[in-house]
Amino acid sequence: MAAVTMGPFLVCVGLLASVVHAAAHCHLPASEFVLHGDHLIGGLFDLYHVSSPIHHHRPEAVDCTSQNFLLPNYRRFQLMRFSVEEINNSSDLLPDVSLGYEIFDICSDLQSFPGVLKQISVDGSVQAWAGSHASLSKVIGVVGPFSSTQTLTVAPLFMVDFISMVSYGASSSVFSSNENFPSFLRTVHPNKEVIDVIIRILQHFNWRWAAFLNSDNDFGIDGRDLFIQGIKDTEVCLAYTQNLNMLTDFTQTFRQIEQQKIGVIIVFAPKMIVEALIDSAIGLNVTNRVWIADDGWSMNKNLPKKKGIRSIGTVIGVSQPVVTIPGFDKFVFSDKSQNQCKNSEQQMFCNQFCKCSHLSAEEITSADPTFSFPVYSAVYAIAHALHRVLQCGAGSCNRSITVHPHMVLAELKKSNFTLLNQTIQFNEYGDPKFGSYSIVYWNAKGIPEEVGFFHFHPFMHFYINGTKVQWFTNGEVPTSLCSTECQEGYIKTHNGIHQCCFTCEVCPNGTYVNSTDQVSCHHCEEHQWSAAGSTSCLPRTVEYVAFTDTAAVVILVGAGLLLALTLAMCVLFAINYNTPVVRSAGGPMCFLILGCLSLCSISIFFFFDKPTVAFCVLRFLPFVLFYTVCLACFVVRSFQIVSIFKIAAKFPQAHSWWMKYHGQWLVISVTFVIQAFLIIVSLSSDPPSPFRDIVSYPDKIILGCFMNLKTSSGSTVLLLSLGSLCFIFSYMGKDLPKNYNEAKAITFCLLLLILTWIIFTTASLLYQGKYIHSLNALAVLSSIYSFLLWYFLPKCYIIIFQPQKNTQKYFQGLIQDYTKTISQ
């Protein structure tokens, strides 16, 4: 229960004393503010409004009539009077019981205690709370006030004695607290609901960059805080906010809005501040903006018809639905036709001067109709609660029951009745479980036109028809964004504190941006790929050279021809084994070389199809092992050629030892054993294995074999050493007889071999596609062909086509001629 401090209480008592003194010296005529009845309902309406605090030198009531008159509130004031009269004329609700009212003009937010104290007093005096059954109030419940600040000011006085307050306009969320406001109920939805509708409008039109201008009071600050809380999990950003009052420098406000390029302005403030704001906007030539109005000014009758209003942009508002109250217009016309005042003098009525109204019935009925049903339903809610307290039945009530405010409150919280096709109920916080909001647009005729709605019950339903709105952009929905939305495949890199302000950066190859998460680039899986700016990944193409590939077929045919050619040469050499040409070519060593070259070609058949461990091993092992034997053979062969013509004469003993112990076969055997050992070590530590190349191409996976260069370096060094020795020895014999120059043939073959692997190495550095394996097979094939074609084929040509050169006499003649040349 809210506590009331003694300071404000004593001030209120002082104000009340002055009021009572004034009332004692005037005789009041019949007034619109008072109606006698069996039970009284209090009414608090701000017919006039104090725009700034009034300072007094002594306690006295505020002269309300010197302030701004609020026609829409006077209409609501008349609506309460009509509702009570309608209930009194009803035979179903409160039969044989009359309702009365005391209504006060609560024209000040902070200085309206006298009327409130009069309502909670007994016989014009304020008494301390005496006991649990004491009733210190002459009213059983109060309708009003309208604003949140007014309600916060006076509510604690009513909460003390559990006097029901049913507000028709106080929407601050603070009132949804049963602990602080145990007897407070309202027939309007709290600010949270209005803010929720505003946020839904922003999201519907994709407006993410908005300014929120709110009144500098409880209502406006509460709305701003709820808006900030409501957009936390959305893409809407609060670009600028400002508390407004009648002293605000609107020029500076609009300058900030222009600098930040804000296209949507939400105004959460009462009518007078809004009118001053809009007048300033028109005067400052603020154009091309979308204005979103709260339910307090969205149905304003004057602003939509103001000169220049169309230039500021488009106004959309959230409003209370306009509910026609049957019989109200007739009541106003009938009431105004009677002259209720005896004269035109100002008549003192408690804490306000009540003037005879010179307003016509037409002016009253055509005023802003919003909040009509909240007033109507508030009065009926109290009447139905009293109906149940008095145990009213068919045609009568139990008039012997003493009614206390807390009894009415208990029944009020259990309200469940139908009024104008709406079921009136309250939740546990005193908020309504009925009603809806309309979404309106100020059309070219200056009339708020309904373009959507938001229903609360039985379920939430939001709808807005944007095609009905005539935008200032000539048909297109205007935009309000800090940064233009990124294209697909781009991520947002935020600038500053606002998530709406960002730069767009494209996601590189191999990454993609999720459409639901444009903050970071996500890497594709290993078997996937994506181009720059992708929103998803595609499966990579797995590539390898199949046996049916054209390149594979050509190379395999070449390998087959090599085997056939090698076999033919072996046969030819076997037939002509004892001829000088075969002997000079190496004799039995020729068959070893040809056999090893044939075995080397085995590797070529495993460079194609999907690689496996076996395929990778067989690509490496046969060629390296048997090509080592071939090179060893050519090393000793080139050494022997040089030895015969150059070394034998100078070092006869060494030559004799070489011939005696078959040095050539010893060298070949040792070399074979060493290479075999190195290969076994390499295969044992880290054998060649299948490898998926995912680096060379973003959209492909190249299947190949991985070979550890460190573990295979021994075999490679041995091959290079043999090649170097072979080249050295063969180069030493470059000046041997022309027709007997075996060394020149070996040198030429080695040059072709070196050139082949230089070309392949260069190609492998520049190209990493699937055909690199075909190039590798071709290099192996070329290495075999280099010796087969340029060393053995000339021998075959002499054997077949020049038999006269394949004689002992011919070869001896060549040797004799060379010996004579050396001796000379």
Side-chain angles (χ1 to χ4, degrees):
M1 180 181 298
V4 181
T5 60
M6 292 302 296
F9 183 77
L10 293 175
V11 173
C12 296
V13 172
L15 290 172
L16 176 66
S18 65
V19 171
V20 172
H21 177 76
H25 291 82
C26 66
H27 301 283
L28 300 178
S31 171
E32 292 180 323
F33 292 84
V34 177
L35 177 66
H36 299 288
D38 297 326
H39 299 278
L40 290 181
I41 299 177
L44 299 175
F45 292 81
D46 49 338
L47 305 182
Y48 298 86
H49 184 75
V50 178
S51 58
S52 59
I54 297 177
H55 301 284
H56 297 290
H57 297 291
R58 60 185 179 86
E60 59 182 317
V62 177
D63 182 3
C64 292
T65 57
S66 64
Q67 309 303 322
N68 300 308
F69 180 71
L70 305 177
L71 178 57
N73 288 0
Y74 184 71
R75 185 182 191 278
R76 295 160 196 153
F77 163 83
Q78 294 293 346
L79 192 57
M80 177 176 174
R81 296 182 61 235
F82 163 73
S83 303
V84 172
E85 180 176 301
E86 189 177 60
I87 292 169
N88 287 337
N89 293 332
S90 171
S91 59
D92 298 324
L93 184 61
L94 294 175
D96 73 1
V97 173
S98 63
L99 277 182
Y101 53 76
E102 279 193 2
I103 304 175
F104 289 84
D105 183 2
I106 183 168
C107 61
S108 170
D109 287 343
L110 303 174
Q111 297 175 323
S112 296
F113 287 103
V116 174
L117 292 172
K118 185 171 180 63
Q119 287 185 339
I120 64 173
S121 67
V122 177
D123 298 327
S125 62
V126 177
Q127 301 178 13
W129 186 47
S132 59
H133 297 291
S135 177
L136 304 181
S137 172
K138 67 171 66 175
V139 295
I140 59 172
V142 177
V143 175
F146 177 73
S147 77
S148 296
T149 301
Q150 292 168 347
T151 306
L152 280 170
T153 302
V154 303
L157 300 176
F158 293 100
M159 301 299 110
V160 171
D161 203 27
F162 288 98
I163 301 173
S164 303
M165 286 187 71
V166 186
S167 176
Y168 55 90
S171 56
S172 176
S173 56
V174 71
F175 298 117
S176 296
S177 169
N178 288 331
E179 294 180 359
N180 297 328
F181 302 95
S183 60
F184 179 86
L185 299 94
R186 53 185 161 191
T187 51
V188 291
H189 289 272
N191 283 340
K192 184 180 183 302
E193 310 295 350
V194 180
I195 293 298
D196 184 41
V197 178
I198 290 175
I199 293 174
R200 287 172 183 260
I201 293 173
L202 295 176
Q203 291 175 321
H204 178 82
F205 292 111
N206 196 31
W207 293 327
R208 301 180 183 177
W209 194 234
F212 195 97
L213 308 181
N214 58 277
S215 55
D216 191 11
N217 58 17
D218 301 282
F219 167 75
I221 294 173
D222 179 64
R224 181 201 61 197
D225 293 343
L226 290 170
F227 182 78
I228 294 173
Q229 184 68 28
I231 63 175
K232 274 187 176 180
D233 297 326
T234 70
E235 294 182 341
V236 178
C237 293
L238 177 58
Y240 175 73
T241 183
Q242 175 67 46
N243 292 341
L244 305 179
N245 54 50
M246 298 304 294
L247 302 177
T248 300
D249 182 4
F250 297 124
T251 302
Q252 180 64 24
T253 300
F254 288 120
R255 184 179 295 117
Q256 289 289 335
I257 291 173
E258 179 66 30
Q259 287 178 353
Q260 298 190 50
K261 299 179 180 180
I262 303 170
V264 175
I265 304 173
I266 304 165
V267 183
F268 211 78
K271 172 187 172 184
M272 285 186 295
I273 293 179
V274 172
E275 289 179 345
L277 179 71
I278 298 299
D279 286 340
S280 178
I282 296 173
L284 294 171
N285 196 29
V286 176
T287 59
N288 300 337
R289 296 291 188 275
V290 175
W291 301 74
I292 300 182
D294 65 59
D295 55 341
W297 65 280
S298 58
M299 296 294 288
N300 191 290
K301 293 291 185 178
N302 298 323
L303 283 178
K305 298 177 181 178
K306 185 177 287 290
K307 183 179 179 181
I309 191 67
R310 300 294 296 173
S311 66
I312 68 171
T314 304
V315 180
I316 296 176
V318 180
S319 77
Q320 298 284 335
V322 178
V323 178
T324 302
I325 310 297
F328 174 63
D329 289 356
K330 182 179 179 181
F331 166 81
V332 173
F333 278 92
S334 174
D335 187 65
K336 286 299 173 182
S337 66
Q338 304 174 13
N339 184 8
Q340 293 186 352
C341 291
K342 303 300 181 182
N343 55 64
S344 60
E345 296 294 327
Q346 293 182 346
Q347 301 295 335
M348 187 68 177
F349 182 73
C350 205
N351 75 324
Q352 77 248 342
F353 291 97
C354 48
K355 296 180 179 179
C356 295
S357 174
H358 298 292
L359 296 173
S360 66
E362 289 81 1
E363 288 177 300
I364 298 173
T365 56
S366 62
D368 183 355
T370 53
F371 298 95
S372 296
F373 187 74
V375 174
Y376 189 64
S377 57
V379 176
Y380 265 88
I382 296 175
H384 275 274
L386 179 62
H387 184 91
R388 291 189 294 276
V389 170
L390 293 176
Q391 300 175 0
C392 297
S396 65
C397 298
N398 188 351
R399 300 173 66 91
S400 64
I401 296 175
T402 301
V403 179
H404 296 286
H406 70 273
M407 300 166 63
V408 176
L409 174 63
E411 294 298 331
L412 193 58
K413 289 183 176 181
K414 296 185 288 186
S415 295
N416 188 1
F417 62 94
T418 301
L419 185 66
L420 299 184
N421 299 321
Q422 293 199 51
T423 302
I424 309 301
Q425 290 179 307
F426 301 95
N427 62 18
E428 64 272 25
Y429 305 111
D431 297 330
K433 294 172 65 175
F434 58 91
S436 62
Y437 281 114
S438 295
I439 300 172
V440 298
Y441 145 72
W442 291 4
N443 61 25
K445 297 179 180 179
I447 300 173
E449 177 184 347
E450 183 171 346
V451 294
F453 57 80
F454 182 80
H455 294 315
F456 295 98
H457 301 284
F459 55 87
M460 289 188 178
H461 183 202
F462 173 83
Y463 171 76
I464 186 170
N465 186 356
T467 59
K468 287 186 176 182
V469 181
Q470 296 177 4
W471 304 104
F472 62 83
T473 49
N474 297 325
E476 295 184 3
V477 177
T479 60
S480 184
L481 302 170
C482 179
S483 300
T484 305
E485 194 65 24
C486 294
Q487 299 177 8
E488 287 189 348
Y490 286 75
I491 60 170
K492 300 176 181 177
T493 302
H494 293 292
N495 301 328
I497 61 173
H498 291 295
Q499 65 173 357
C500 298
C501 302
F502 49 83
T503 55
C504 298
E505 295 182 2
V506 66
C507 282
N509 293 335
T511 63
Y512 71 98
V513 57
N514 195 325
S515 58
T516 60
D517 174 25
Q518 288 186 302
V519 178
S520 58
C521 298
H522 302 277
H523 288 278
C524 296
E525 298 293 334
E526 183 180 289
H527 62 280
Q528 296 176 325
W529 77 283
S530 66
S534 297
T535 57
S536 62
C537 294
L538 299 173
R540 289 191 179 194
T541 303
V542 179
E543 291 191 350
Y544 58 90
V545 181
F547 283 114
T548 56
D549 193 272
T550 304
V553 171
V554 171
I555 293 172
L556 291 175
V557 169
L561 290 175
L562 184 143
L563 290 173
L565 189 58
T566 303
L567 180 61
M569 287 182 178
C570 286
V571 172
L572 182 63
F573 277 35
I575 295 172
N576 299 275
Y577 181 75
N578 293 317
T579 61
V581 171
V582 176
R583 292 277 183 182
S584 66
M589 195 178 292
C590 293
F591 297 100
L592 177 61
I593 295 173
L594 289 172
C596 288
L597 291 177
S598 300
L599 293 174
C600 285
S601 65
I602 295 174
S603 295
I604 298 171
F605 294 91
F606 296 97
F607 279 96
F608 310 106
D609 206 16
K610 286 185 178 180
T612 62
V613 175
F615 270 49
C616 291
V617 171
L618 291 173
R619 284 185 186 185
F620 164 77
L621 190 149
F623 176 72
V624 172
L625 181 61
F626 296 111
Y627 208 76
T628 300
V629 176
C630 291
L631 285 178
C633 291
F634 283 110
V635 168
V636 298
R637 182 67 191 135
S638 58
F639 175 77
Q640 286 177 330
I641 294 171
V642 174
S643 175
I644 291 171
F645 288 96
K646 293 186 177 183
I647 300 178
K650 296 180 180 180
F651 305 100
Q653 189 175 356
H655 182 263
S656 174
W657 183 88
W658 176 269
M659 297 301 294
K660 179 180 180 181
Y661 293 102
H662 305 287
Q664 71 273 25
W665 298 111
L666 183 63
V667 171
I668 293 171
S669 300
V670 171
T671 304
F672 174 77
V673 171
I674 293 174
Q675 187 64 284
F677 174 76
L678 293 174
I679 289 175
I680 291 172
V681 171
S682 175
L683 294 179
S684 300
S685 59
D686 190 5
S689 58
F691 172 68
R692 294 159 59 89
D693 181 5
I694 60 173
V695 177
S696 301
Y697 295 93
D699 58 338
K700 300 175 183 178
I701 298 177
I702 308 298
L703 299 184
C705 291
F706 171 75
M707 181 179 293
N708 192 328
L709 297 179
K710 289 184 179 180
T711 59
S712 62
S713 59
S715 298
T716 306
V717 169
L718 182 57
L719 281 172
L720 291 174
S721 299
L722 291 172
S724 300
L725 286 173
C726 187
F727 186 81
I728 291 170
F729 291 138
S730 62
Y731 185 78
M732 291 171 63
K734 66 181 186 302
D735 56 346
L736 294 178
K738 181 178 179 182
N739 292 327
Y740 189 70
N741 197 346
E742 304 293 334
K744 285 186 177 180
I746 295 173
T747 303
F748 183 73
C749 291
L750 288 173
L751 289 174
L752 289 179
L753 178 66
I754 294 170
L755 182 61
T756 297
W757 287 101
I758 288 175
I759 293 173
F760 171 73
T761 303
T762 305
S764 63
L765 293 175
L766 300 175
Y767 172 71
Q768 297 294 329
K770 67 176 183 177
Y771 288 108
I772 194 67
H773 305 295
S774 299
L775 290 175
N776 198 348
L778 188 61
V780 171
L781 187 62
S782 178
S783 300
I784 300 171
Y785 266 112
S786 64
F787 284 110
L788 195 66
L789 296 180
W790 304 107
Y791 184 79
F792 289 103
L793 192 60
K795 309 292 188 290
C796 296
Y797 179 80
I798 292 173
I799 293 171
I800 298 173
F801 298 104
Q802 294 179 339
Q804 70 278 7
K805 293 182 180 181
N806 190 17
T807 63
Q808 191 71 25
K809 182 181 179 180
Y810 180 78
F811 272 82
Q812 287 178 349
L814 291 176
I815 295 172
Q816 289 174 359
D817 291 340
Y818 178 75
T819 303
K820 290 178 181 179
T821 302
I822 293 297
S823 63
Q824 291 176 356

